[in-house]
Amino acid sequence: MPKGRQPQRKVLIRRAAIKRRVGVVARQITRDFKGQRVHLVGVLKGACFFLADLAREIDLETSIDFIAVASYGRGGESSGQVRLLKDLDSSIAGLNVIVVEDILDTGLTLNYLLNLFRQRRPKTLRVAAFLDKPSRRVQPVKADYTGFTIPNEFVVGYGLDHAERYRSLKDVCVLRLPRT
Ligand code: IMP
């Protein structure tokens, strides 16, 4: 890419604020499920950093599993069709399941996952989303636990990517792509 045409990055949420907020969300979960076990289901790949930090701050017995999905679409726009790439390793029947998402955008992915998981008879089914972009919602889904509500910007870092880049950034940054 010629110089000057690199994507521009601007910090939106700093690592210290992320750490503080993850602690707050973990305490909410700890309070809500006092004395019980929670089963965290991370949605690959974006949620892996949030799940790892959250799991270590929750003061309860926890177990973890992962699921991977892909949504079809052109130019980054989701078409509404979600495809399962990797299913859970084990049954969630009778468990307190918390679906851990990187970002809630149109809600299509989460809507698909909630329908799938409901059929598997968990004891409870909740959602923890690290980020929420409510202005983009197509499906009326909501998170029970939210890290940060953000404006309609494309963000990367702390697990979120653009074409598999930037996931390991410690801060969440707005990514502005050069016009083609
Ligand atoms: P939804 O199905 O539209 O809610 O989209 C969920 C998925 O789209 C997320 O799990 C992300 O992988 C991706 N996504 C949505 N917005 C962003 C963003 O701003 N940055 C990176 N990925 C995003």
Side-chain angles (χ1 to χ4, degrees):
M1 206 179 283
K3 203 166 187 297
R5 306 213 49 192
Q6 296 289 337
Q8 300 290 308
R9 287 200 322 253
K10 190 168 163 278
V11 175
L12 181 68
I13 310 168
R14 294 200 180 275
R15 64 200 74 174
I18 295 173
K19 191 170 191 301
R20 276 197 303 274
R21 186 65 196 155
V22 171
V24 170
V25 171
R27 284 193 290 279
Q28 288 173 347
I29 293 172
T30 303
R31 219 176 30 238
D32 290 355
F33 290 92
K34 197 166 185 283
Q36 301 179 65
R37 167 185 163 195
V38 291
H39 189 64
L40 305 177
V41 170
V43 186
L44 291 172
K45 304 173 198 163
C48 64
F49 292 79
F50 180 42
L51 185 142
D53 287 345
L54 190 63
R56 286 175 291 181
E57 293 295 326
I58 293 173
D59 193 12
L60 299 170
E61 184 190 340
T62 59
S63 46
I64 65 173
D65 202 346
F66 291 95
I67 194 163
V69 290
S71 51
Y72 290 109
R74 277 185 297 167
E77 290 299 314
S78 188
S79 66
Q81 273 180 292
V82 181
R83 185 168 57 109
L84 191 60
L85 297 180
K86 180 220 169 287
D87 204 343
L88 298 174
D89 288 343
S90 56
S91 166
I92 56 168
L95 300 181
N96 294 311
V97 172
I98 302 179
V99 182
V100 182
E101 264 274 34
D102 55 354
I103 186 165
L104 198 44
D105 189 29
T106 63
L108 293 165
T109 307
L110 185 61
N111 186 54
Y112 169 89
L113 289 173
L114 290 177
N115 286 331
L116 182 74
F117 293 155
R118 272 187 207 112
Q119 294 165 23
R120 300 182 181 184
R121 307 265 171 249
K123 181 178 175 198
T124 57
L125 185 57
R126 302 259 175 104
V127 176
F130 173 57
L131 299 177
D132 188 6
K133 271 196 243 180
S135 59
R136 293 253 310 158
R137 203 74 92 252
V138 171
Q139 287 286 342
V141 284
K142 277 195 184 139
D144 300 283
Y145 308 99
T146 303
F148 300 89
T149 300
I150 62 165
N152 184 14
E153 301 269 17
F154 192 85
V155 291
V156 293
Y158 199 66
L160 290 129
D161 75 311
H162 177 258
E164 293 303 326
R165 294 181 67 196
Y166 312 114
R167 284 195 202 277
S168 59
L169 293 178
K170 290 179 178 150
D171 305 313
V172 170
C173 301
V174 171
L175 191 73
R176 297 244 164 79
L177 296 165
R179 288 179 195 278
T180 44

